[in-house]
Amino acid sequence: MIAIEIGRRDLDELTKTKVKNLPGALFSGASPLLKPFMNKLEALLPPENRGRGDSYVLCALHSHIDEVHADEGQIVVRSGDKVVWIRREELAELMDERYPTTGHQRLNLPGLLFLQSGPALQAASAMILRREHRLRIPDGRRTMRYIFHMGVARLDADKERIRIGFDLERLPKRADGSSTLE
């Protein structure tokens, strides 16, 4: 597994994007991952910001989140002394109800959460992976999203930086067994 770190300065220099709250950057895109958990996430907001609907909650999370951790088993979101856990089993059960014929054994929480982030964080991550690890990340949006969905194995974000663990072993291989990104 390889790891990269992204700070405010990286986002500003690489993508010309100013981010006030780094953990909130993981909640700036559009993905269905968090929709079933909006009631849980709304509990992280101050009382005066609750009850305004899912779109408002997603937008308000940007500034109210202090830390995020995602691994194979769970996503943990912290705001002050409040903590919300989204467990892999919960998401698999919800998906099983809606899509009973789909196997959920390859459900990757960190990758799904990373896809929830905005294009600036994804572009900066691709640039850092290219620069620091000499990986050839294709520019196509769908291909890049697939690579991040499958390859992001761990996420940790706080007010100072976002740390991303990237597992090349999860990605398709060439016939000789080498990574398609090297």
Side-chain angles (χ1 to χ4, degrees):
M1 184 174 326
I2 58 175
I4 62 171
E5 287 190 2
I6 299 172
R8 282 184 193 85
R9 186 174 174 185
D10 296 314
L11 287 167
D12 188 28
E13 290 176 0
L14 296 173
T15 64
K16 307 298 183 227
T17 303
K18 299 230 184 274
V19 175
K20 293 179 183 176
N21 186 19
L22 285 174
L26 291 168
F27 296 87
S28 59
S31 171
L33 167 66
L34 300 175
K35 188 127 178 93
F37 304 104
M38 294 311 273
N39 289 338
K40 282 182 161 188
L41 292 167
E42 187 174 30
L44 297 172
L45 301 177
E48 64 271 12
N49 293 68
R50 296 180 192 161
R52 298 185 184 184
D54 291 353
S55 295
Y56 180 83
V57 170
L58 269 179
C59 187
L61 285 172
H62 293 269
S63 58
H64 288 89
I65 294 174
D66 296 327
E67 293 178 32
V68 177
H69 167 78
D71 60 29
E72 287 296 317
Q74 66 186 352
I75 296 171
V76 181
V77 184
R78 295 182 195 279
S79 178
D81 60 347
K82 301 172 193 163
V83 180
V84 169
W85 288 272
I86 299 172
R87 291 185 173 78
R88 180 187 173 121
E89 296 82 27
E90 288 178 274
L91 186 58
E93 283 177 28
L94 291 169
M95 290 178 70
D96 220 17
E97 289 172 13
R98 189 158 186 172
Y99 308 104
T101 59
T102 305
H104 306 298
Q105 64 276 9
R106 294 186 65 181
L107 190 60
N108 180 20
L109 289 179
L112 289 170
L113 179 60
F114 190 78
L115 292 183
Q116 179 70 40
S117 70
L121 181 57
Q122 294 175 18
S125 299
M127 287 181 218
I128 291 170
L129 285 166
R130 284 180 191 127
R131 182 179 67 205
E132 293 180 6
H133 298 283
R134 293 181 170 54
L135 296 180
R136 294 184 327 215
I137 308 279
D139 288 328
R141 179 169 157 70
R142 282 186 178 170
T143 304
M144 188 166 47
R145 286 179 60 85
Y146 171 78
I147 289 168
F148 286 136
H149 174 234
M150 296 302 293
V152 173
R154 184 176 183 89
L155 278 174
D156 287 292
D158 57 31
K159 298 289 185 178
E160 302 301 319
R161 69 187 62 86
I162 298 171
R163 290 168 299 285
I164 302 167
F166 197 77
D167 188 355
L168 293 176
E169 296 302 314
R170 295 177 173 200
L171 298 173
K173 306 271 186 259
R174 291 188 183 107
D176 67 1
S178 65
S179 172
T180 57
L181 301 181
E182 294 175 334

